Amino acid sequence: MSSPRATSSLNTAIAAVAFVLPMIYIYRKNKRTVAEQKVFKEEREKERAFLSSLVKNPSSQPLRPPLPDIVRRVLSRCSFAYLSTIDVDSTSSHLSLMRFTYLPEEETIIMSTNVKTKKYDMLEKQNGVALLIHDFGDGGNNLTGEYSITLNGTCSVVKDVVLA
């Protein structure tokens, strides 16, 4: 049988190892993050330079596909957008928070909604929509909360989709 003193030393050693291992992991993770942060910072500087050029020299023509890299990156990182539609019958607008999927190869944004909604009814009557996409800066997917992009475009309601 072991003495109480030996058991106490063993418990202390186990507690010390259990405490030190997470600290080593956190240190290594932070060390990798420094390199990633450098790359992230460089990308942000390029994005800011591009946006500054747009603000200083606004084009009379809207951006059309192929979209600039910064727009594609924001669309790829984000998953929420505000969809604005117009109710032609009552001359009012309608704003909805939507989850979306961006397909970079086709430069297409996919959204879904229930067919028994006001939003769906308005989308059936019109094809022009506006989307406000904001990277909310929640810490995931390299979101920073820095960018908002307003996209104006056309919308198509796709029915009879066969899901695999």
Side-chain angles (χ1 to χ4, degrees):
M1 216 175 184
S2 61
S3 69
R5 186 174 184 176
T7 304
S8 174
S9 295
L10 180 61
N11 287 342
T12 302
I14 291 172
V17 169
F19 180 72
V20 170
L21 287 177
M23 289 188 66
I24 292 170
Y25 173 74
I26 290 169
Y27 171 74
R28 286 186 181 156
K29 183 176 178 186
N30 287 341
K31 196 171 184 179
R32 281 184 296 214
T33 305
V34 170
E36 292 170 357
Q37 286 176 350
K38 184 179 178 184
V39 170
F40 185 74
K41 186 177 178 182
E42 290 170 357
E43 286 178 1
R44 289 293 169 266
E45 291 302 320
K46 290 177 189 174
E47 291 173 355
R48 284 189 191 105
F50 173 76
L51 291 175
S52 294
S53 71
L54 286 180
V55 171
K56 291 176 185 169
N57 304 313
S59 170
S60 60
Q61 297 296 319
L63 293 175
R64 302 221 184 270
L67 297 172
D69 287 341
I70 181 176
V71 175
R72 288 196 307 264
R73 278 196 301 269
V74 170
L75 288 171
S76 294
R77 290 190 303 240
C78 297
S79 59
F80 290 102
Y82 296 99
L83 172 67
S84 176
T85 54
I86 303 290
D87 187 347
V88 181
D89 298 333
S90 65
T91 62
S92 68
S93 59
H94 186 71
L95 189 64
S96 304
L97 180 62
M98 301 288 294
R99 181 177 288 274
F100 72 90
T101 301
Y102 174 61
L103 304 175
E105 299 81 28
E106 292 114 32
E107 293 198 338
T108 301
I109 295 172
I110 306 291
M111 294 177 279
S112 63
T113 188
N114 192 318
V115 296
K116 297 179 182 177
T117 61
K118 180 178 182 179
K119 169 181 36 197
Y120 181 82
D121 292 341
M122 288 188 286
L123 291 171
E124 283 274 279
K125 296 176 187 174
Q126 67 182 43
N127 67 355
V129 295
L131 276 179
L132 172 61
I133 298 157
H134 179 73
D135 67 343
F136 285 96
D138 62 359
N141 293 333
N142 293 324
L143 300 179
T144 62
E146 290 182 80
Y147 303 114
S148 293
I149 299 171
T150 300
L151 301 173
N152 295 300
T154 58
C155 153
S156 302
V157 175
V158 180
K159 301 176 184 177
D160 302 327
V161 176
V162 177
L163 299 175

